Amino acid sequence: MKKVLALVLTTVMLAGSMILAGGCSGTDTKATTEGTTTGGAETTAAGGAETTAASGDVLKVGILYISPKDDGGYSQAHAEGMAEAVAALGDKIQVFELENIDDTDAQATSAAIDNLVNEGCTLIFTTSYGYMEPTAAAAEKYPDVKFCHCSGYTRNDTNLDTYFGQIESARYLAGIVAGLTTKTNKLGYVAAFPIPECIRGINAYTLGAKSVNPDVTVSVVWTNTWFDMDAEKAAAESLLATGVDVMAQHQDSPAAITAAESAGAYAIGYDLTYAGAPKAYLTAPLWNWGTYYTYKIQQVLDGQWKVENYWGGMKEGVVKLDTLSSLVPDAAKTAVEAVQKDVTEQGNAYVFKGPIKDQTGAVKVKEGESLSYDDQMSMMWFVDGVIGEIPTT
Amino acid sequence: MSETTTPVSEFAFSMKGISKTFGSVAANEEIDFEVRKGEIHALLGENGSGKSTLMNILSGIYQPDSGTVFVGGERKVFHSPKDSIQCGIGMVYQHFMLAEPLTAAENISVSTGGFFVHHKKESAAIRAFSEKYGMEIDPDKLTNQLSVSEKQTVEILKVLYRGARILVLDEPTAVLTPQEIRALFRVLRKMRDGGCSIVFISHKLNEVMELCDRVTVLRKGRSIETCDIKDIDAYELVEKMVGRKVDLSINRPIPKEDCKECLRIESLSLRDPDGYVKVNAASFTLNHGEILGVAGLAGSGQKELCEAIAGIAPVESGRIIFEGNDIAGKSPREIIRMGVSMSFIPEDRLGMGLVASMDITENILLKDYSFQPGVFLKTAPVREKAERIVKELEISTPGVHHPVRKLSGGNIQKVILGREIHLSPKLLITAYAVRGLDINSSYTIYNLLNEQKMKDVAILYIGEDLDVLLELCDRIMVLCAGEVTGIVDARSTTKEEIGQMMSGTRYEELKGGVDYVSNH
Amino acid sequence: MFQITKRDELPTWQGVLIRIGSILAGVLLASFIIAILGFDPVKTFAALIGGSFGSSSALINTVTIAIPLAITALGLAIAFRMKFWNIGGEGQIIMGCVFATFVSHNMPASTPGVVLILLMGVAGFLGGAIWALIPGLFRVYLRTNETLFTLMMNYIALCIVQYLHFVLWRDPAAKGFPKIKAIQEQAHLPMLFGVHIGFIVAIVLGVLVFLLIRKTKLGFEIRVVGESAPTANYAGINVRQVMLTGVILSGGIVGLAGMVKLAGAVYTLSPSITGNAGFTAIVIAWLSNLSAPIMLVVSVLIAALEQGSQVIQIKLNVPSAVAAVIQGLILMSALGGEFFLRYRIVRRKREQSKSQKGDA
C-alpha cells in the first residue's frame, strides 16, 4: 500500500517536473527594467519590458554587494544609491544586482561577474575592497565591459577604474560630536580590520574629537568582521565595560549602537541613519552613493567613459554627516557648524592637516602641510589619542 | 474453554490462536499455548521457531496480530510490559538486567515500586523470602560482586518478590555449571510445589526431560505438540522440533597412531586491554589429527586463548610453539601464512571473522587476497572457490554475490568454516562453531571437523554443549577463570568431572593425585 | 504512535525513484515558498536550470564551482569508508593551499609552469595529508575521537591562514591592505574548453578513487577496516597502517582540492579560500553513497544550485536569502530521501517502552 502511494506520488512529481522543464525554454532573457526596486513588482515587469530591453539603447548595469542589500548598512547604502540613479535615469538603464557575494571568495566573485556579463551587463560596479583582483581579472577577460571598483587601487588604462569617498571628513565631524558629548572622556571604536580604510577613519574621528576636547581618548577593538552582530556586539560591550560612554563603529551591522543603548551610552553609526536606538543614536557619517552612480552611469550613457580615481567628498555630496539627533548637546552642534563649511570645502585635506603626531608623539604631518592622497591610502599608524594597536608584519 | 464458562481455570495462563507477523515473516501462526497452575512447562523449538516472539507477546512487549491471552481464566490485553507484570507474569532473561552499583536487595526492591527505600527492612524481608524457596543469597552484596549464578538468583527473586506467579525462564542454564544447574532445579521444583507456574525454555533436552512436567514444541511458528514429559522421549522431541528423524550420535573416528605434535602452549599468560588477567599460565599440547575440546563457562579465557594463538591478542608471557617455532609475537598475517586458521563465532556472529555488508566472495577473499601478488585484487579465482564452498557446504544463498549479512546464522557459520577449511590449515581453531545452529546444520559441521581431523589437521574446538564435547572430541581441556583446571580423555571422562573442573576444582584434587591424561 | 524501523534493502530502481522523488518533493516545497514570497516558481526554476546549464558560460561557472567540491568529496569518502569521520575538509583544503602558496612564493620566477604546478600539487597533497594525519595518529594510537579532532583542526588552520593573511605573508605591495601575494602567474592552471584543467584532475581522481576502493588490495583493506576493525585484525590486516594510509590519502586529496582551486580559479590564498567546500563535500559524499562516479555527478548538481541561485537573483531579482532557501530545501529533501531509503515509519497502536528482546 505504502509503496503504491510512493509510486503515485513520484509519478505526479515527475510529470510536474516535465512541465517545469518545458516552461524553461522561453523565459531566458527577460528581466526587469527597474531591478533595484525591492518587493514583488518585478514579476510583472518580466514580460512587459521586452521591447525596451530589445531596443539596444538600454545600458545594462551590474552591481555586486558583499551583504544583503537590505543589511541596514554598507550594502544598503550602495543599493539605495543605485536606486537613486535608476530613479534619475529612468528606463535608459537596467540594473542587475547580486547580493551577499563573499568578497574574500575570488571564485564566487568571478562567477558572479561572469553571470552579470552573461546577462549583457556592460558596466559593472563591484562595491567591496575584496572584489579587486577578480574585478581586475574580469576587466582583462571582458575588454568590452567597463568596471568600477569601490575602495581599491587597481586601475587600467581602458576599462577598470576605482571610486570611493572622503568619508573621513564626516568622521571628523562625528568626532567633534563625540568629543563634546562624552562625560568620561573615553570614546570607543569597534573597527573591522587593521587596514588603511579603517585606520584613516579612526584617526579622523580622533582628530575631530581632540580638536574640541584634548583630554579625550579613543579605544579601538578590531573584530575582523564586516557584518557579524555577535562579534561586533561583544567587542562593543568589552569597550563599554571600561567606562566608554560614546561608541563609534566601522562595520556594517548596527550591533555597536544597540550595545551602547543597552549600556546607557551614546553611539555614532555608520553607512545609514539608524532609527532603532533612539536613546543612543547621535549621528553617523553617511554614504550617499546616488550622486556617484548617477554621475558615472550618465558618463557612460553620454559615451564619455573615462578611467578615473573618483574620490568625492562632502562637496560632491557622496558623503555627509547625518542630521544631529536631539541627544547631541548644543555645544557640539555649534562646534560642528563652526567647521562645517571648511570641512565641506577642503575635505580630507582639512582633516589631515598638520601638525599631527602619532601615538609615540612623533610628528607625522608638519605644520602647514596635509597628508597626501597616497599617504592616506596606505595609512598604517594611529594618531595621538588612540588607544589600540595595529598588528604589524 | 472460554472465560465465561470457567471463571476459575485450571490454567495459570493460556494463549489462544496467537498470530504475529513481521513484514512478510510469520513468526507465530495460530499458536495455542497453555500452562497449568503448579507445573514446569518446557517450551521447545529451534531458533526461529517463534519461542521468543510468543514470550514477548506474553510479556506485553509485542501485541499479537490476532489471538487472545487469558490469565487465571480472564481475558487480558497487554499494551505494555507493565500490564503483563501486573497480571503476575515475570520474565527472567538470558541477559541480566541489574543495576550494577546497587546491592542485591536494592535491585530486588526497586522492582516493587514505591518512592522510599527502607534498607534494613527490605533486606531482612528478602532474606526470609529467599530462604522460603531455598535460595542462597546475601541481600547486602553489591551486584557487581555477585557471581553469574547469584545474579540469576537475584533476577528470579526480583520477579518473585513483586508477586509473580508465572515465571518465564529463557535458557537459564546456559551460564551455569552442572552443580549450579542442579541447585537451580531444586529451587524451581520448590516454586512449582508452592503453586507457581514456570515456562522453561532450553535447547538442552536432557534438562527438559529431567525437570519439566509438560512440554510444548514449536516449529516454524506453529505449535506442533503439547504433551506430558513422561509420554515422550528425547528422540521424539528432536524429531518434532526438526520435523524429521535425526541421528543424534556423533561419529568419532579414532585418531591415527603416530600423529606428531602440532601445537605446544607453555605457561601462556595474557591480559585484556583493561589489564585483567584473562589467561593464566596455561599449558597444553595438541597433535595433528586430533580434536582437543575446550570446555568452560563463557568468559573463562577461551576467546583470549584463541586470539593469542592467532596473533591478535598480545602475549604477556609464555610460549606458543607451532610445529617447532615460537609464534608468540608474530603478526596475525605471518601466523595465517604458517597455516593456522581460526574461525571464532562470537555472540553476534558477524563481530569478528566476516564483513557483514560484503558478499560471500569478498568474505572468502578476506583470507586469500594477501597471498595475491601485486597491488590489484583478483576476484575471479576466489569466485570459483566461493562457488565450490557454497556447493560443498550446502550454503543456501541466491549466489556468491549475496551479502553475508542477509544469510541465516547457520549459513554464515558455514561460510566462515568453509573459508577456513579451504585454506588447508594445519591447525584449525574453531570456537562456538554450532552456536545457535539448528540440529541439522550442527551435524554438518561436526562431520566437516571430523573430515579435517582425518586429514591430519589439528583442531582446537571451543564448545558450549558438554554433551557435544564429550561425543566429538578426543581430549577435553577445561578452563576456569583463565586457568587450565584439567585435561581429560573425552572417551572416559564424565560430565560430572568436567562440571567440577569448570567450577574451579583441579583435576589433581578431583583424583587425589597427579594423573593427567597423557598424550596418545 | 509512530516508530522508526530499519528497512530491508530496496531494489535499485526503487532507490532511484525515491531519490528522484525526494528531490522533486524539495522542488515542490521550494515552489510553494517561492510562490508565497510573490515570485513565479516556474520562472524561478527555469532560470535556475537555464542559468546553470543553459549556456556555455553558465556551464563553465557550474563546472568551476563543482571542481573543488568533487575533489574534496572524493578525498573525504576514503576516510568515511574507514568510518574515520573526517570533518576536517576545511582545514585540509586551507593547509593544501598554504603549502602550495609557500612553494609558489619560494620558487624562482623562472620556474617553468609545469614544474611549478606539479610541485604545488605535491605540496598541496602534503599539506592536507599532514593536517589529516595529526588527528589520524591520535585516533590510532590514543583512541581520540577524530570527529571532534578534525573539526578543531579546521579552526587551527583558519587561525594560521588568518595570521598569514594579516601578518606573516601580508603583501607589502598591497598599500597596507591585508592580503597575501598571489601565486606566480605561470602557476595558473591552463584552461581547456574555458574551464581550468582542474576538471580533468577531478575526473582522473574519480576514476583512481573508484579503482582504489573497488579493485586494489588497499581499497579492500580500507573497506574491511571500516566495516569491522576486529575482523580486519583477525584477517591479518594491519589496521593502524591501513587507517593511517587511508587518512593520508583522504587528507592529501582534500589538500589537492585546495591547490586546484587556488591555482585554477582564485590565485590568492585568503581565509575564505574554502568557500565551505569542506562541509558541502560531506553532504555530497553521503548523498552519493560514497561512490566515486556518483560524487562527480552530485558535485555538478550542487554546483548548479549554487550557480543557478545567482542567476535567479540577476534575472528575477529574487533576494539571495530566498535563493539560499531554495538551495537548502532541495538539499534537505535529498537528504531526507536518504533517510527514507534506510528507514521506514511504522504505525503502532501503543507505545512500547521496553523492547528488551528482538523477535525470533
Side-chain angles (χ1 to χ4, degrees):
Chain A
M1 184 55 209
K2 222 166 287 159
K3 279 179 193 164
V4 175
L5 196 76
L7 274 177
V8 170
L9 242 135
T10 11
T11 325
V12 170
M13 286 190 288
L14 262 174
S17 80
M18 279 167 188
I19 295 163
L20 274 182
C24 87
S25 52
T27 52
D28 236 0
T29 51
K30 290 168 203 162
T32 86
T33 36
E34 295 201 330
T36 48
T37 51
T38 42
E42 44 283 347
T43 40
T44 51
E50 197 75 18
T51 44
T52 30
S55 70
D57 296 326
V58 171
L59 176 69
K60 290 191 177 179
V61 178
I63 183 163
L64 295 191
Y65 305 123
I66 186 173
S67 47
K69 64 186 183 190
D70 53 357
D71 67 350
Y74 186 81
S75 290
Q76 187 168 336
H78 278 285
E80 285 179 0
M82 190 50 92
E84 202 180 308
V86 169
L89 300 167
D91 55 10
K92 283 185 272 185
I93 60 166
Q94 189 180 358
V95 174
F96 299 91
E97 304 177 284
L98 274 177
E99 57 181 357
N100 227 1
I101 306 293
D102 184 349
D103 78 335
T104 52
D105 186 340
Q107 184 179 302
T109 309
S110 301
I113 294 173
D114 283 350
N115 287 330
L116 289 172
V117 172
N118 214 21
E119 194 53 42
C121 295
T122 52
L123 174 61
I124 291 173
F125 296 94
T126 54
T127 61
S128 181
Y129 170 73
Y131 297 142
M132 185 165 73
E133 281 177 7
T135 306
E140 207 170 306
K141 186 171 164 192
Y142 304 111
D144 298 334
V145 179
K146 295 166 185 71
F147 292 92
C148 305
H149 175 239
C150 183
S151 77
Y153 54 84
T154 302
R155 287 171 288 276
N156 68 13
D157 298 332
T158 53
N159 67 334
L160 171 62
D161 76 357
T162 56
Y163 63 102
F164 210 33
Q166 300 176 32
I167 191 78
E168 292 75 21
S169 316
R171 285 205 187 274
Y172 181 85
L173 296 179
I176 292 175
V177 172
L180 292 175
T181 307
T182 179
K183 300 206 171 53
T184 60
N185 286 340
K186 283 182 175 175
L187 305 184
Y189 200 120
V190 287
F193 291 98
I195 58 174
E197 179 189 342
C198 294
I199 292 165
R200 233 165 33 229
I202 294 164
N203 285 342
Y205 181 78
T206 310
L207 291 170
K210 281 183 81 89
S211 74
V212 293
N213 181 355
D215 297 331
V216 88
T217 57
V218 178
S219 300
V220 175
V221 170
W222 304 112
T223 60
N224 291 330
T225 60
W226 283 117
F227 194 103
D228 183 330
M229 301 284 261
D230 294 336
E232 290 152 23
K233 177 165 173 262
E237 282 169 350
S238 75
L239 284 171
L240 289 162
T242 65
V244 161
D245 66 348
V246 183
M247 281 303 305
Q249 65 175 91
H250 194 154
Q251 296 102 349
D252 304 327
S253 90
I257 310 175
T258 49
E261 183 169 56
S262 317
Y266 297 112
I268 308 277
Y270 180 45
D271 294 320
L272 289 169
T273 304
Y274 185 71
K279 283 188 222 134
Y281 184 77
L282 298 175
T283 182
L286 301 185
W287 290 104
N288 185 22
W289 290 112
T291 311
Y292 167 72
Y293 286 126
T294 313
Y295 154 78
K296 193 71 190 178
I297 295 169
Q298 187 64 53
Q299 189 186 71
V300 175
L301 284 172
D302 295 344
Q304 300 294 316
W305 159 268
K306 63 171 195 264
V307 172
E308 59 190 326
N309 176 17
Y310 183 91
W311 198 42
M314 292 174 83
K315 193 165 56 181
E316 290 80 5
V318 170
V319 297
K320 64 175 184 187
L321 186 71
D322 196 9
T323 316
L324 303 183
S325 80
S326 56
L327 303 174
V328 175
D330 290 339
K333 284 181 181 159
T334 319
V336 170
E337 274 159 25
V339 293
Q340 177 98 41
K341 185 163 169 289
D342 286 344
V343 172
T344 307
E345 286 298 316
Q346 299 170 36
N348 277 19
Y350 181 91
V351 175
F352 294 111
K353 200 181 327 182
I356 300 175
K357 288 181 191 162
D358 69 6
Q359 278 175 307
T360 64
V363 175
K364 295 291 271 191
V365 186
K366 287 195 211 95
E367 174 93 51
E369 290 178 10
S370 258
L371 207 57
S372 72
Y373 173 78
D374 284 345
D375 287 343
Q376 285 183 41
M377 285 303 114
S378 57
M379 188 180 249
M380 284 301 281
W381 51 273
F382 278 141
V383 299
D384 178 38
V386 179
I387 300 169
E389 267 181 53
I390 300 169
T392 46
T393 320
Chain B
M1 201 173 289
S2 78
E3 36 154 348
T4 45
T5 52
T6 53
V8 181
S9 170
E10 60 166 314
F11 294 114
F13 72 90
S14 53
M15 304 172 81
K16 297 229 171 218
I18 301 289
S19 294
K20 175 79 183 172
T21 52
F22 295 100
S24 56
V25 183
N28 283 175
E29 273 182 283
E30 294 288 319
I31 289 183
D32 294 329
F33 182 50
E34 296 180 309
V35 173
R36 291 185 185 131
K37 287 175 181 164
E39 74 166 348
I40 301 179
H41 196 122
L43 183 60
L44 285 180
E46 294 190 276
N47 280 13
S49 59
K51 289 173 301 192
S52 307
T53 305
L54 190 67
M55 288 304 104
N56 281 334
I57 289 170
L58 183 65
S59 67
I61 290 173
Y62 294 152
Q63 284 77 49
D65 298 339
S66 63
T68 36
V69 179
F70 301 89
V71 179
E74 257 183 84
R75 183 179 173 158
K76 299 282 182 188
V77 178
F78 299 150
H79 291 301
S80 72
K82 213 171 154 187
D83 297 343
S84 167
I85 288 167
Q86 275 169 356
C87 288
I89 296 168
M91 313 293 284
V92 177
Y93 291 105
Q94 256 177 303
H95 305 283
F96 304 133
M97 292 162 197
L98 298 173
E100 292 269 308
L102 302 185
T103 64
E106 284 166 333
N107 262 298
I108 293 164
S109 56
V110 145
S111 61
T112 58
F115 192 74
F116 295 103
V117 182
H118 306 281
H119 288 283
K120 280 208 175 128
K121 240 164 75 185
E122 290 281 2
S123 172
I126 288 163
R127 196 183 297 274
F129 191 81
S130 60
E131 275 160 11
K132 192 171 107 189
Y133 289 104
M135 289 186 260
E136 289 166 19
I137 186 82
D138 176 1
D140 298 324
K141 217 169 171 182
L142 285 175
T143 311
N144 51 20
Q145 290 167 358
L146 299 176
S147 75
V148 173
S149 76
E150 285 174 318
K151 279 183 188 171
Q152 188 179 55
T153 308
V154 172
E155 282 283 353
I156 294 172
L157 270 174
K158 197 168 98 179
V159 168
L160 287 177
Y161 195 68
R162 67 182 177 212
R165 301 293 288 163
I166 299 163
L167 254 85
V168 179
L169 299 162
D170 187 4
E171 301 231 24
T173 62
V175 292
L176 302 181
T177 63
Q179 286 77 5
E180 289 165 345
I181 291 173
R182 203 160 313 126
L184 173 69
F185 284 6
R186 268 198 303 275
V187 170
L188 293 181
R189 287 197 185 99
K190 231 178 205 153
M191 283 162 57
R192 172 191 62 194
D193 298 341
C196 283
S197 303
I198 295 162
V199 177
F200 184 81
I201 302 173
S202 175
H203 277 117
K204 297 175 187 167
L205 292 182
N206 50 353
E207 291 175 359
V208 170
M209 300 305 293
E210 185 189 332
L211 176 71
C212 301
D213 305 308
R214 291 204 306 150
V215 59
T216 294
V217 179
L218 301 185
R219 185 171 79 225
K220 291 179 180 161
R222 295 179 171 276
S223 43
I224 298 299
E225 168 100 36
T226 299
C227 64
D228 286 355
I229 282 287
K230 60 179 189 296
D231 298 335
I232 197 163
D233 65 29
Y235 283 96
E236 285 174 279
L237 277 177
V238 171
E239 222 179 289
K240 295 205 184 300
M241 282 161 66
V242 180
R244 65 191 132 72
K245 279 202 183 304
V246 175
D247 183 4
L248 276 183
S249 67
I250 301 171
N251 161 44
R252 173 161 52 188
I254 304 289
K256 292 180 204 160
E257 280 299 315
D258 52 346
C259 284
K260 276 188 283 189
E261 180 183 285
C262 173
L263 181 73
R264 169 182 289 275
I265 305 286
E266 291 176 3
S267 57
L268 178 74
S269 297
L270 59 98
R271 294 169 191 269
D272 69 6
D274 296 328
Y276 292 101
V277 175
K278 286 294 175 176
V279 176
N280 191 7
S283 297
F284 63 92
T285 59
L286 170 59
N287 287 348
H288 284 288
E290 177 195 37
I291 300 183
L292 174 64
V294 178
L297 294 175
S300 299
Q302 297 97 319
K303 179 167 182 262
E304 291 79 7
L305 176 65
C306 294
E307 289 185 350
I309 300 170
I312 300 170
V315 171
E316 187 172 81
S317 64
R319 303 208 296 163
I320 303 171
I321 294 161
F322 174 71
E323 297 194 320
N325 302 310
D326 190 352
I327 57 170
K330 286 203 188 320
S331 76
R333 180 150 294 165
E334 286 172 299
I335 293 169
I336 291 168
R337 287 187 189 208
M338 290 170 85
V340 178
S341 242
M342 179 171 90
S343 71
F344 189 99
I345 318 283
E347 281 84 352
D348 60 0
R349 283 201 187 94
L350 291 165
M352 185 172 83
L354 289 178
V355 182
S357 68
M358 290 187 177
D359 63 26
I360 297 175
T361 310
E362 285 184 305
N363 270 293
I364 285 167
L365 195 59
L366 196 57
K367 277 288 181 77
D368 276 43
Y369 82 96
S370 69
F371 296 100
Q372 296 178 349
V375 181
F376 289 96
L377 279 181
K378 289 161 201 68
T379 37
V382 181
R383 192 177 314 125
E384 282 166 34
K385 185 172 173 182
E387 272 157 9
R388 217 161 52 235
I389 291 172
V390 166
K391 213 169 127 199
E392 280 171 22
L393 274 68
E394 294 170 349
I395 296 170
S396 70
T397 166
V400 292
H401 292 303
H402 202 62
V404 293
R405 161 170 51 93
K406 292 190 188 170
L407 298 176
S408 73
N411 287 314
I412 288 173
Q413 273 152 255
K414 284 180 191 169
V415 171
I416 301 187
L417 211 59
R419 177 183 68 199
E420 299 305 319
I421 288 169
H422 266 263
L423 290 168
S424 314
K426 294 173 186 160
L427 167 62
L428 178 63
I429 303 164
T430 169
Y432 313 120
V434 297
R435 183 174 253 168
L437 291 196
D438 59 38
I439 290 169
N440 210 30
S441 304
S442 301
Y443 278 79
T444 314
I445 284 177
Y446 301 146
N447 289 338
L448 273 172
L449 292 176
N450 276 324
E451 266 172 43
Q452 292 299 305
K453 168 177 160 185
M454 294 325 285
K455 287 182 190 161
D456 274 353
V457 176
I459 297 170
L460 190 64
Y461 179 90
I462 288 86
E464 288 171 304
D465 188 334
L466 284 189
D467 295 298
V468 172
L469 280 166
L470 286 168
E471 284 187 60
L472 176 71
C473 303
D474 298 303
R475 289 184 299 145
I476 296 173
M477 168 168 80
V478 185
L479 288 179
C480 176
E483 291 185 24
V484 176
T485 46
I487 301 175
V488 293
D489 186 337
R491 287 175 179 79
S492 58
T493 188
T494 61
K495 239 169 120 168
E496 185 60 27
E497 247 179 31
I498 294 180
Q500 285 183 317
M501 288 191 281
M502 278 166 73
S503 53
T505 316
R506 292 191 163 272
Y507 186 74
E508 301 92 309
E509 297 161 8
L510 219 57
K511 294 285 171 178
V514 183
D515 187 18
Y516 265 85
V517 175
S518 56
N519 277 330
H520 303 278
Chain C
M1 288 306 283
F2 293 93
Q3 186 170 329
I4 295 162
T5 58
K6 247 192 143 131
R7 172 203 275 291
D8 289 341
E9 251 143 281
L10 291 169
T12 319
W13 66 271
Q14 259 185 344
V16 171
L17 265 189
I18 289 191
R19 286 194 171 94
I20 293 175
S22 54
I23 290 172
L24 288 178
V27 169
L28 221 58
L29 201 60
S31 299
F32 280 122
I33 297 200
I34 294 167
I36 289 168
L37 292 170
F39 300 94
D40 181 341
V42 175
K43 278 191 191 129
T44 306
F45 277 103
L48 194 131
I49 294 164
S52 46
F53 297 112
S55 67
S56 67
S57 110
L59 202 58
I60 285 168
N61 269 352
T62 304
V63 172
T64 307
I65 296 169
I67 292 166
L69 294 178
I71 301 177
T72 307
L74 286 169
L76 294 181
I78 295 176
F80 294 160
R81 283 269 178 205
M82 302 185 297
K83 299 217 164 78
F84 182 96
W85 307 120
N86 183 1
I87 309 300
E90 290 280 301
Q92 289 147 27
I93 292 174
I94 288 176
M95 292 319 281
C97 292
V98 167
F99 275 50
T101 303
F102 179 81
V103 167
S104 170
H105 284 182
N106 288 284
M107 292 298 286
S110 56
T111 319
V114 183
V115 176
L116 191 52
I117 288 170
L118 285 177
L119 282 176
M120 284 167 66
V122 172
F125 186 94
L126 271 179
I130 290 171
W131 220 242
L133 184 61
I134 296 167
L137 286 170
F138 273 80
R139 152 80 189 261
V140 161
Y141 289 102
L142 298 173
R143 294 201 238 166
T144 316
N145 178 320
E146 79 281 5
T147 314
L148 289 173
F149 206 137
T150 50
L151 186 68
M152 295 306 164
M153 292 296 279
N154 289 340
Y155 300 114
I156 297 174
L158 192 63
C159 289
I160 289 176
V161 75
Q162 276 173 345
Y163 180 67
L164 296 175
H165 184 80
F166 286 108
V167 183
L168 198 59
W169 286 0
R170 187 169 182 154
D171 184 1
K175 301 195 174 176
F177 289 100
K179 70 178 282 290
I180 294 168
K181 200 169 72 180
I183 58 168
Q184 297 189 34
E185 204 137 315
Q186 75 271 27
H188 294 191
L189 292 184
M191 306 295 247
L192 189 66
F193 308 126
V195 189
H196 66 83
I197 57 161
F199 79 93
I200 297 177
V201 177
I203 292 169
V204 169
L205 275 175
V207 173
L208 287 181
V209 169
F210 177 81
L211 288 179
L212 168 76
I213 295 296
R214 286 283 144 205
K215 302 287 176 193
T216 67
K217 289 171 157 182
L218 176 62
F220 183 71
E221 290 176 330
I222 282 174
R223 283 188 286 145
V224 174
V225 167
E227 283 284 339
S228 158
T231 301
N233 213 345
Y234 153 88
I237 295 172
N238 187 332
V239 175
R240 285 178 171 174
Q241 195 185 315
V242 168
M243 189 158 270
L244 291 178
T245 313
V247 164
I248 287 172
L249 281 176
S250 173
I253 292 175
V254 175
L256 193 60
M259 177 271 169
V260 165
K261 184 173 179 185
L262 176 76
V266 180
Y267 310 137
T268 304
L269 173 59
S270 77
S272 63
I273 187 123
T274 64
N276 277 332
F279 292 125
T280 312
I282 296 172
V283 177
I284 294 171
W286 284 110
L287 276 179
S288 315
N289 234 335
L290 304 184
S291 149
I294 300 178
M295 272 185 263
L296 295 181
V297 176
V298 172
S299 303
V300 172
L301 293 179
I302 301 270
L305 274 183
E306 185 78 41
Q307 156 70 10
S309 77
Q310 272 198 10
V311 174
I312 58 175
Q313 287 181 59
I314 296 174
K315 281 195 191 300
L316 305 175
N317 206 18
V318 172
S320 67
V322 175
V325 166
I326 296 172
Q327 279 188 54
L329 277 174
I330 292 175
L331 261 188
M332 192 191 77
S333 306
L335 283 171
E338 294 301 306
F339 174 82
F340 285 106
L341 280 177
R342 295 188 178 100
Y343 300 93
R344 62 205 175 95
I345 291 173
V346 181
R347 239 200 100 155
R348 299 218 162 245
K349 286 174 210 144
R350 287 255 330 235
E351 184 190 31
Q352 296 172 10
S353 49
K354 293 177 198 165
S355 40
Q356 296 98 323
K357 296 205 79 187
D359 52 74

